Amino acid sequence: MTPAREPWRSERGARTLLSRIAEPYDETVQELVAEHGVLDLVGYAVRDGRTPDGVPLTRLLSRLGRSLGVDEEQVTRALGVRVLVPGDAEWPAGLDDLTAVPWALWVRGPLRLDEAADGAVGVVGSRASSSYGDEAAARICFDLAERGRTIVSGAAYGIDAAAHRAALAADEGRTVAVLAGGVDVAYPRSNAELIARVGQHGALVSETPPGGAPARMRFLSRNRIIAALSVGTLVVECGLRSGARNTVAHARELDRHVMAVPGPVGSALSAGCHQEIRAGAVLVTDADEVIELVGRMGEDLAPVKRGGRVPQDDLDPETRRVWQWLRPRRSVSVDEVMVRSGLGLGEVLVALSELEERGLAEQLLDGWKRRSG
């Protein structure tokens, strides 16, 4: 075999091949990579099947023969996919914060991954979401996308799907779907149309090579990528044992922002969110509050939420004190108001006159009574 037909001799080729022969969550392989480096380790596997000190590379050999026969350039051209490795201009810097950095990433779609990750928000939640959760996710994600934030999620049922759809509905909205299988494998199949739209307008991302099937451990492994691609992770609705909490755990380990939308206190679907809030997640209810947390310090403060104004809001302090001691259903004497408010006779009379003029109090034969404004 000539060097030209041995792409594994380059760092990019070695990482691509390693992605096909080893699972990214395999701790044994991670230790071997830490010890030998990707390029040397793959070379040992191909040439001798063992390290120079005689350690068999059994974990790498079962898929090796079949993987060496794959023409990666042909695969990427045919599928319209690009392969990213650490050091590429498009490689998102946040991924380097991971303990287990992906060997490589397959990306499909027009959105540059490094640009998409700038200020991105990860959104996760229950697959069996309620209408409340879907509406909350859609409202927040649409507003975030309208304001230029990339929505990163996993293309699953429920909250993931609501988040992607909302981002796609926004004007020039950006979204990234991190998949557990290959970028050419739509899963779940009933979300195939949505996944295709994300690939057409945003980006599909996977550390599993094309053709790879989704599997439980690959779902858990991809969660760390969602967390690492984002400056903060928002969990909208999840139960106590939801996989969404695995993504939140990765976000905490990476020192990223963690946010949660509260739900009804008796809802099992929101019990996980409530536990995350108790553990330190920031309670958020809209896009303004998300951006206040993940945005530029001091420049993206959420507006203070206030209830509707009522006439008594405009009263001066003394007049308000008098108003507070009036009763709506019975009259109160001037002497009683003086005692309860701690004000003098003149102050009370001036305040009562002001309240009467504003329509907030009325004088009866035996005292004063509050009126609704």
Side-chain angles (χ1 to χ4, degrees), residues 216-239:
R216 173 174 170 73
M217 289 303 296
R218 287 177 174 176
F219 279 107
L220 293 174
S221 182
R222 69 89 187 266
N223 289 345
R224 80 191 197 288
I225 297 178
I226 294 176
L229 283 175
S230 310
V231 295
T233 294
L234 170 66
V235 56
V236 176
E237 190 175 53
C238 75

Side-chain angles (χ1 to χ4, degrees), residues 242-298:
S242 172
R245 300 187 70 186
N246 177 258
T247 308
V248 170
H250 285 299
R252 282 202 173 96
E253 290 173 2
L254 292 166
D255 200 26
R256 304 291 204 265
H257 297 290
V258 175
M259 301 156 282
V261 174
V265 293
S267 170
L269 282 175
S270 291
C273 292
H274 299 157
Q275 285 298 310
E276 293 299 344
I277 291 170
R278 286 174 57 84
V282 177
L283 186 154
V284 296
T285 60
D286 59 26
D288 286 329
E289 293 172 350
V290 173
I291 290 177
E292 180 181 74
L293 193 65
V294 305
R296 300 177 300 278
M297 186 173 293

Side-chain angles (χ1 to χ4, degrees), residues 98-290:
L98 290 167
T99 301
V101 177
W103 319 131
L105 290 178
W106 276 260
V107 183
R108 188 180 208 175
L111 189 60
R112 279 184 61 99
L113 207 53
D114 57 332
E115 295 176 358
D118 184 17
V121 177
V123 180
V124 295
S126 174
R127 287 175 169 80
S129 55
S130 68
S131 57
Y132 166 82
D134 289 343
E135 187 279 330
R139 173 173 49 82
I140 294 173
C141 291
F142 178 84
D143 290 344
L144 288 172
E146 283 276 289
R147 295 166 66 172
R149 298 284 171 168
T150 302
I151 303 300
V152 181
S153 196
Y157 294 127
I159 298 302
D160 286 18
H164 288 305
R165 289 192 180 100
L168 290 169
D171 184 28
E172 298 183 3
R174 303 187 303 183
T175 189
V176 173
V178 184
L179 307 179
V183 293
D184 59 332
V185 179
Y187 185 87
R189 292 185 179 181
S190 58
N191 278 357
E193 181 179 352
L194 173 62
I195 293 170
R197 288 178 58 209
V198 174
Q200 291 165 1
H201 303 285
L204 301 175
V205 178
S206 181
E207 61 184 336
T208 300
R216 173 174 170 73
M217 289 303 296
R218 287 177 174 176
F219 279 107
L220 293 174
S221 182
R222 69 89 187 266
N223 289 345
R224 80 191 197 288
I225 297 178
I226 294 176
L229 283 175
S230 310
V231 295
T233 294
L234 170 66
V235 56
V236 176
E237 190 175 53
C238 75
L240 292 173
R241 293 180 59 83
S242 172
R245 300 187 70 186
N246 177 258
T247 308
V248 170
H250 285 299
R252 282 202 173 96
E253 290 173 2
L254 292 166
D255 200 26
R256 304 291 204 265
H257 297 290
V258 175
M259 301 156 282
V261 174
V265 293
S267 170
L269 282 175
S270 291
C273 292
H274 299 157
Q275 285 298 310
E276 293 299 344
I277 291 170
R278 286 174 57 84
V282 177
L283 186 154
V284 296
T285 60
D286 59 26
D288 286 329
E289 293 172 350
V290 173

